[in-house]
Amino acid sequence: MAEFYAEGLLHRLLGLDTKGELDEVAKHARAEFTFHIVPNMNPDGSANGYLRTNAAGSNLNREWAPSPAPTTTLYQSEDANEKVTMYEAPTVERSPEVYHVLRKMDETGCDAFLDVHGDEALPFNFLAGSQGMPNWGRRLESLHGAFLAAYERANPDMQKEVSYDPDEPNEGMKNICSNQIALRFDCLSATLEMPFKEVSGRERGWGPNRARKLGASVLDALCYVSPYLRKEGNFWERLPEEDAYSHPSSKY
């Protein structure tokens, strides 16, 4: 489904369904942004029928930063500082997909980021933000709220009430892709999940065509928030009430 999403985005961005003719939003997006799009982050996993792991057996959504090793050993040193065995990531040997994409991002910088997934449990399209990162504050909260509100206006298959329960402050996992990007570049960053189940409360028939439309309509949301992505000052004070951040829940 993530590949169908990327296909819809690229078709609108390049005018592939309209003989090269671009609508006004696509024109604005191309003038405003430099896009870096990875249509499939895990081609080996796709070919082998895996959901998350690549050919080396690595869960690519846990390879974006070093983290405590699965067999962590904790001990107290003489100066009473707690130490922990770390799992190094990403690496060329175990997670080359992440390693090379992250190196390229370090070269170019990043102002907005989406990691597109499918979720097996919740029957909704939704965003999971970086609420558990130490740099989450009024700025990132407001960007997340405005982006999601604009996305919901552009496409009725998106909604803001239901998502994963947000991490508590400073308790998010830094090795998860969208968390690491939010922290590394201090930017709007989220995981976008599409459902394996039918979309609850929406027209039935979720599938490739609507995943493509969801990908195409992200341009509307990106263009809406583009003036604020690196804006200094309290820009949120001038945003309409409908753009306010809404604290989501996994309960529905």
Side-chain angles (χ1 to χ4, degrees):
M1 59 189 66
E3 292 176 61
F4 288 125
Y5 182 101
E7 185 177 294
L9 167 58
L10 286 165
H11 274 235
R12 186 181 187 189
L13 200 56
L14 300 175
L16 297 181
D17 296 327
T18 53
K19 298 181 180 179
E21 292 293 324
L22 301 179
D23 62 59
E24 292 305 312
V25 172
K27 289 178 182 177
H28 180 68
R30 288 180 55 159
E32 191 74 15
F33 294 98
T34 298
F35 286 87
H36 298 267
I37 300 170
V38 182
N40 186 343
M41 189 67 183
N42 188 13
D44 292 342
S46 298
N48 285 299
Y50 305 149
L51 287 178
R52 287 191 175 208
T53 57
N54 64 2
S58 298
N59 177 352
L60 293 184
N61 202 28
R62 299 295 184 273
E63 290 281 322
W64 290 80
S67 59
T71 55
T72 292
T73 300
L74 294 174
Y75 62 92
Q76 292 294 117
S77 67
E78 292 181 359
D79 62 358
N81 289 325
E82 188 179 78
K83 294 192 176 182
V84 62
T85 302
M86 296 300 290
Y87 173 87
E88 290 302 320
T91 67
V92 173
E93 296 75 21
R94 192 176 54 246
S95 47
E97 304 91 340
V98 175
Y99 180 90
H100 290 294
V101 167
L102 195 54
R103 296 289 82 75
K104 187 63 178 180
M105 293 179 76
D106 284 338
E107 290 179 18
T108 64
C110 181
D111 296 311
F113 177 84
L114 284 178
D115 184 22
V116 183
H117 285 238
D119 181 79
E120 301 88 343
L122 294 174
F124 299 90
N125 292 294
F126 61 92
L127 290 187
S130 58
Q131 292 92 331
M133 293 296 97
N135 62 328
W136 177 269
R138 192 66 185 277
R139 174 178 165 269
L140 291 184
E141 178 185 272
S142 299
L143 286 172
H144 185 98
F147 175 81
L148 185 48
Y151 209 160
E152 190 176 34
R153 292 192 292 269
N155 190 316
D157 275 324
M158 182 53 72
Q159 55 79 48
K160 60 185 177 184
E161 291 82 15
V162 179
S163 178
Y164 301 137
D165 294 319
D167 293 319
E168 294 298 322
N170 297 310
E171 293 187 6
M173 297 171 62
K174 296 176 183 177
N175 59 338
I176 289 177
C177 178
S178 59
N179 281 348
Q180 177 59 209
I181 300 308
L183 182 62
R184 198 181 195 99
F185 300 102
D186 195 24
C187 70
L188 170 65
S189 177
T191 301
L192 186 151
E193 297 280 3
M194 291 177 285
F196 279 80
K197 301 175 182 178
E198 194 61 72
V199 181
S200 179
R202 302 298 197 270
E203 176 188 356
R204 295 187 64 81
W206 175 257
N209 286 337
R210 280 162 69 186
R212 291 187 188 98
K213 290 179 180 178
L214 194 67
S217 57
V218 74
L219 293 182
D220 297 82
L222 285 170
C223 288
Y224 182 77
V225 298
S226 64
Y228 311 113
L229 291 174
R230 294 297 179 188
K231 190 174 183 62
E232 297 181 359
N234 299 346
F235 65 86
W236 51 85
E237 295 177 354
R238 296 184 294 278
L239 291 174
E241 185 176 344
E242 64 185 5
D243 288 347
Y245 171 76
S246 176
H247 189 85
S249 170
S250 63
K251 297 180 175 60
Y252 63 95

